[in-house]
Amino acid sequence: MNLGFLGLQFSFGLQQGNMAPIYSYLGASEASLPLLQLAGPMTGLLVQPMIGAMSDRTDSRWGRRTPYFLMGALLCAAGLFFMPLSSSLLMAVSMLWILDAGNNITMEPYRAYVSDRLNGDQHQIGFLTQSAFTGLAQMLAFLTPSLLVWAGMNQDWVDAHNIPYTARIAFMVGAALSFTTILWSIRRVPELPLSAEEKLRIAAEPKGFGAMLGEIASAIHDMPVAMRKLALMSLFQWYAMAAYWAYVIYSVGRSVYRTDVPTSSGFHSAVLTNGEMAAWYNGVAFVAAFAMVPLAKRMGAASLHAACLILAGAGMLWLPHVTDKAMLFLPAIGIGIGWASIMGNPYVILAGAIPAERTGVYMGIFNMMIVIPMLVFSGTMWLFYDRLLGSDPRNVLTLCGVLMFAAAAAVWSVRERNAQGLPVGASAR
């Protein structure tokens, strides 16, 4: 079931590791990078809540979520294929909008699909397994360019627009992988048929764009307390992750390779080194996600998540001070543990707090709590990158570490509740 999610997350891994460098190769300044990456948070903000509400109300011959899997897979594959062929910033930005639209159309139904298929007492292992597949997929995505170099490709072999051919091949592999794995997944694990009661409920609900917006507004009004508390955590957590992904390559370039020139061989080395480091922390995330299953049952997902965020924050604070490539992999361990928790534990809390018939719309709304901090990052970082952070990406990573500690403090008070207001694990009588 999660093999298709692996293909989807391979796509996200390629974006995280390559979009900022591609923009730099095409002439963008460091301060403008957040604005150029608005596509991800904007499409997430617009697409996921709407797709969530629509999929909750869909009753088609192909299933409830499947039509959205297929539509998203096609857009995702097209965006990945054409991205490394970009000849200008405008083309690269346009391809990113297409790619992120496809990713977001597919992402929300995959989150809801776990809740659809699994019983409540299986949510922890379901979402943490999905987190493990995220780690595996992104590990492979980040490592692919280095594997090509190790196989004999020249890291400095670039096209007329300074984009390395290693990036071109990696993106085209991602296009094929994302489409085929999503298609295979939905063929091998078809959706469970809707019950007669669910069909009647869907048929009785009002249709149309206005009804969909009304459902989103109603769901926000009725949002469970636990989900409201996750909003502050998400603000700190996802601002930090967006800033980390945007600037970690530039930090490594300065601290390890002593360069800030995007077309230099040292910068190409920084891109590959970040890929290897990110592959390592995603490998850590793959293992850590399974290790968290018994810990989440014992400690509670909220307390466990707070501890993991503290480890991630410590890693981000340490990283800018590392000047030796081999030592980068030590702080990356903390980042990997935090990443595993980010992709699993908040969804455990969420799935236990929301009513099953509104899973899609609430998963979409929760994604708003992810993309709004990213939008805030895109809209604010350029304002103080030069003046307050000294145009130094290493200072951005220090800010990321502090924000992770703030996220840990915010989530510490959240206690998981089920949709009836009972502690998770308790049953209504």
Side-chain angles (χ1 to χ4, degrees):
M1 181 172 143
N2 273 313
L3 187 63
F5 197 74
L6 180 144
L8 178 64
Q9 290 297 330
F10 191 97
S11 170
F12 275 113
L14 289 175
Q15 285 180 245
Q16 291 167 19
N18 294 277
M19 280 315 304
I22 285 175
Y23 285 145
S24 293
Y25 300 143
L26 295 171
S29 67
E30 288 182 5
S32 68
L33 293 175
L35 288 172
L36 291 171
Q37 303 206 56
L38 273 172
M42 282 298 294
T43 54
L45 181 65
L46 298 173
V47 170
Q48 285 211 27
M50 290 192 293
I51 294 296
M54 290 168 63
S55 68
D56 279 346
R57 295 162 178 250
T58 297
D59 179 14
S60 74
R61 57 180 293 191
W62 298 285
R64 193 181 195 181
R65 317 290 182 190
T66 299
Y68 306 99
F69 291 153
L70 294 174
M71 184 192 316
L74 286 169
L75 288 174
C76 180
L80 285 171
F81 184 85
F82 289 105
M83 176 62 72
L85 303 178
S86 297
S87 57
S88 66
L89 278 173
L90 178 60
M91 181 176 176
V93 170
S94 300
M95 289 301 103
L96 184 60
W97 278 88
I98 293 172
L99 174 57
D100 269 316
N103 283 338
N104 281 289
I105 288 170
T106 308
M107 172 70 79
E108 191 285 327
Y110 256 115
R111 293 296 191 191
Y113 196 31
V114 173
S115 269
D116 292 345
R117 293 282 314 199
L118 302 181
N119 297 326
D121 60 354
Q122 297 174 311
H123 283 164
Q124 285 180 328
I125 193 168
F127 283 110
L128 287 170
T129 299
Q130 198 170 77
S131 174
F133 273 81
T134 298
L136 178 61
Q138 296 197 4
M139 177 182 72
L140 295 173
F142 278 110
L143 199 56
T144 298
S146 289
L147 291 174
L148 293 171
V149 172
W150 296 338
M153 285 188 69
N154 183 349
Q155 69 174 28
D156 299 323
W157 182 28
V158 300
D159 64 16
H161 307 289
N162 299 312
I163 298 175
Y165 281 95
T166 52
R168 180 178 294 189
I169 293 175
F171 270 78
M172 291 181 179
V173 168
L177 185 66
S178 63
F179 184 77
T180 56
T181 55
I182 291 171
L183 187 64
W184 189 91
S185 178
I186 60 179
R187 285 178 60 87
R188 291 301 301 266
V189 190
E191 295 186 67
L192 296 174
L194 295 173
S195 66
E197 180 181 325
E198 288 173 317
K199 286 178 175 289
L200 287 173
R201 179 184 61 79
I202 291 173
E205 287 178 339
K207 304 296 188 291
F209 186 73
M212 180 187 65
L213 292 180
E215 168 63 8
I216 294 171
S218 172
I220 292 174
H221 180 269
D222 299 336
M223 189 184 298
V225 173
M227 187 173 176
R228 292 181 186 275
K229 288 186 175 182
L230 289 175
L232 183 61
M233 172 213 75
S234 293
L235 174 63
F236 296 130
Q237 169 183 288
W238 286 106
Y239 193 109
M241 291 307 303
Y244 175 84
W245 290 327
Y247 286 102
V248 62
I249 291 172
Y250 301 87
S251 175
V252 171
R254 282 170 169 79
S255 64
V256 177
Y257 295 100
R258 310 299 182 189
T259 184
D260 60 357
V261 180
T263 55
S264 67
S265 180
F267 187 81
H268 293 160
S269 296
V271 173
L272 293 175
T273 295
N274 175 65
E276 293 159 18
M277 181 178 67
W280 165 248
Y281 80 64
N282 276 285
V284 170
F286 177 74
V287 175
F290 288 116
M292 286 180 193
V293 174
L295 288 174
K297 291 181 181 294
R298 185 178 308 167
M299 297 173 58
S303 299
L304 176 60
H305 188 48
C308 293
L309 290 177
I310 290 171
L311 292 176
M316 290 176 178
L317 287 174
W318 183 5
L319 198 63
H321 304 286
V322 176
T323 57
D324 178 71
K325 175 183 174 179
M327 291 296 293
L328 292 171
F329 296 87
L330 292 179
I333 294 173
I335 296 170
I337 293 172
W339 182 232
S341 185
I342 286 169
M343 295 303 291
N345 282 313
Y347 294 95
V348 174
I349 300 169
L350 180 64
I354 57 179
E357 68 273 11
R358 302 180 93 175
T359 296
V361 68
Y362 273 124
M363 288 292 180
I365 291 170
F366 188 65
N367 187 68
M368 294 170 67
M369 298 181 187
I370 296 173
V371 300
I372 288 174
M374 293 182 173
L375 282 172
V376 174
F377 162 71
S378 296
T380 59
M381 178 56 68
W382 66 277
L383 294 172
F384 59 83
Y385 181 73
D386 294 330
R387 181 174 299 179
L388 297 181
L389 299 177
S391 301
D392 192 334
R394 290 169 290 190
N395 293 333
V396 177
L397 264 62
T398 300
L399 174 64
C400 293
V402 173
L403 290 173
M404 280 297 191
F405 291 154
V411 77
W412 189 263
S413 65
V414 177
R415 292 295 174 262
E416 300 96 305
R417 314 289 291 183
N418 63 26
Q420 289 75 43
L422 299 168
V424 171
S427 59
R429 294 184 183 276

